[in-house]
Amino acid sequence: MSQSCPRPDPAIVPPALAWQRAAHYFRQAAPAAQTPGGRLAAIAHPVLMAASFGTAEQGTGARPVRRSSITEDGTPVIYSFKDTREPGGPAFRCVVEPGGYAVRTDEQIQRAVHCLEELCGALGWHRAAQESGLALAKLLPRPLTLARSWWGGIWLGIDAAPEAFRLKAYVNLRPHEPGQRWQMAQALAAQLDADLVANDTIAGAGNIPLMGVGLAIEADRICAVRLYFGLDQATPQSVGRLAGEFDPDARLAIELFAREFTASFGAFSHQSVAICLDYPVSAQGRLAARAARFKLELCAEMLAPETRCQVLSWYRLVLPRLGLADSLSVSKADQARSIFGGLLAKYVSLGVTRSGECSTTLYAHPMGLRLEDGLIEEIAS
């Protein structure tokens, strides 16, 4: 699996050029415009790009006022490449941080909320706009200025397959006290007529901190809620045990994935492992009592530079061991790497449903969209 790491271009990419590259990749990788998913993606993608590139676009020398939360070098978009046994082929998937690093986090949150409203309006999803607005209101600090010094607020994304399309929102809860995070999640659950803590073993355990909440929106309604839990210290055995609590049959695949990763890259770093639980929401707006999917998410961003570039090769090798040998998503990743001049892995994940269906995902950001010259070590006052 040894390979030489490509060296990122040290120069800042002009925002206009970065936008052009992102638009070109979308045209190459998104579903055909005549398909239902492709049609909606063609509406939503420019809105997301304007939200993430727009601030820097207004002044190419926009001075960063905080570190980017979505990537360590200021790249404003992450692409993900998912493998599953389900028919239909891999979807076009991306996540952005509206507002970028040139605005404080309270304003970034405001821009993300406005962007989600704009997306729902452009898609004609009026029920979803109302539902998501109410949901986000339960997950945000009051007053919003409390988030001004936070590292990150809200990310938005799309997931577009030929016959399906989803909007996604990811809300950071880390800056809150653990008890307050649960109160927020329970308030959201109450909106969806459910009680998260009482009905799920892992969520109810209380000894794994809740880190964030994700919303999936499809066909004009919230269709799923995701809870993110952070593990301070983790081993393949410990994440396997957690998967076994979700469903005994999930333990083997999750532990195998974790063992393969540590065998290649060493023991998990501190806070580099997340557990996600996905709860479906019925068409009537009721949150399921039990999570339908367990997901292990491993952070590659903490790996040393000389090994981080090997993650894509590792991902390609591990798929056959999970029964996902015919990987179309890897070819999509290769296509993105060609267009952008390189990819840097951010996360790899394995999800398992209660029926035993597995899906793996590689999350990476392109080297050719860098808008910031290195890390911002000190936040501007």
Side-chain angles (χ1 to χ4, degrees), residues 182 186 189 193-205 245-246 277 279 286-292 354:
W182 268 118
Q186 284 286 34
D193 196 22
D195 183 348
L196 289 173
V197 174
N199 289 292
D200 195 275
T201 303
I202 298 172
E245 292 179 22
F246 165 78
L277 296 178
Y279 295 82
R286 182 179 177 84
L287 190 71
R290 300 168 69 207
R354 292 191 184 276

Side-chain angles (χ1 to χ4, degrees), residues 56-336:
E57 180 75 6
Q58 295 164 9
T60 57
R63 182 170 182 259
V65 297
R66 64 183 180 91
R67 289 180 58 190
S68 301
S69 66
I70 196 167
T71 61
E72 80 280 12
D73 70 353
T75 302
V77 59
I78 293 174
Y79 295 103
S80 62
F81 311 92
K82 184 176 180 179
D83 277 284
T84 176
R85 297 188 185 96
E86 298 174 0
F92 174 88
R93 297 155 53 94
C94 72
V95 180
V96 305
E97 182 178 6
Y101 55 77
V103 296
R104 298 287 187 183
T105 304
D106 54 341
E107 184 177 348
Q108 188 276 320
I109 292 173
Q110 289 179 318
R111 292 186 183 215
V113 171
H114 175 74
C115 181
L116 185 58
E117 292 175 352
E118 183 181 356
L119 284 165
C120 289
L123 297 170
W125 289 0
H126 305 297
R127 172 187 169 184
Q130 181 179 22
E131 288 183 353
S132 60
L134 290 171
L136 291 177
K138 292 176 170 58
L139 300 172
L140 298 178
R142 289 289 180 266
L144 199 55
T145 51
L146 291 173
R148 185 172 177 80
S149 62
W150 289 9
W151 179 33
I154 297 178
W155 300 351
L156 299 178
I158 60 174
D159 188 333
E163 300 301 322
F165 177 85
R166 283 187 174 186
L167 294 176
K168 294 184 176 181
Y170 304 90
V171 184
N172 176 27
L173 298 184
R174 291 177 181 85
H176 298 291
E177 293 296 324
Q180 188 179 8
R181 301 174 203 173
W182 268 118
Q183 291 173 6
M184 290 175 156
Q186 284 286 34
L188 172 61
Q191 175 188 326
L192 300 171
D193 196 22
D195 183 348
L196 289 173
V197 174
N199 289 292
D200 195 275
T201 303
I202 298 172
N207 57 352
I208 305 175
L210 178 67
M211 308 302 287
V213 173
L215 304 175
I217 304 166
E218 183 175 356
D220 198 20
R221 66 180 182 87
I222 295 177
C223 63
V225 171
R226 172 175 291 174
L227 300 184
Y228 289 86
F229 300 87
L231 302 182
D232 287 336
Q233 302 291 339
T235 65
Q237 295 88 344
S238 67
V239 297
R241 284 194 298 271
L242 289 172
E245 292 179 22
F246 165 78
D247 187 276
D249 293 336
R251 177 169 186 166
L252 182 62
I254 291 292
E255 191 164 334
L256 170 64
F257 190 75
R259 284 185 185 278
E260 292 284 353
F261 189 88
T262 55
S264 294
F265 303 112
F268 295 131
S269 302
H270 179 63
Q271 294 185 340
S272 66
V273 178
I275 298 297
C276 312
L277 296 178
D278 290 344
Y279 295 82
V281 178
S282 70
Q284 292 72 40
R286 182 179 177 84
L287 190 71
R290 300 168 69 207
R293 184 168 176 259
F294 179 103
K295 183 181 180 185
L296 173 66
E297 197 166 87
L298 308 177
C299 182
E301 202 169 52
M302 297 182 182
L303 297 175
E306 62 269 18
T307 56
R308 184 178 175 188
C309 67
Q310 299 176 14
V311 172
L312 180 55
S313 297
W314 172 86
Y315 184 78
R316 194 190 308 269
L317 291 172
V318 80
L319 290 179
R321 300 170 195 177
L322 296 166
L324 297 166
D326 299 326
S327 172
L328 292 176
S329 75
V330 169
S331 65
K332 288 276 189 181
D334 288 339
Q335 181 185 40

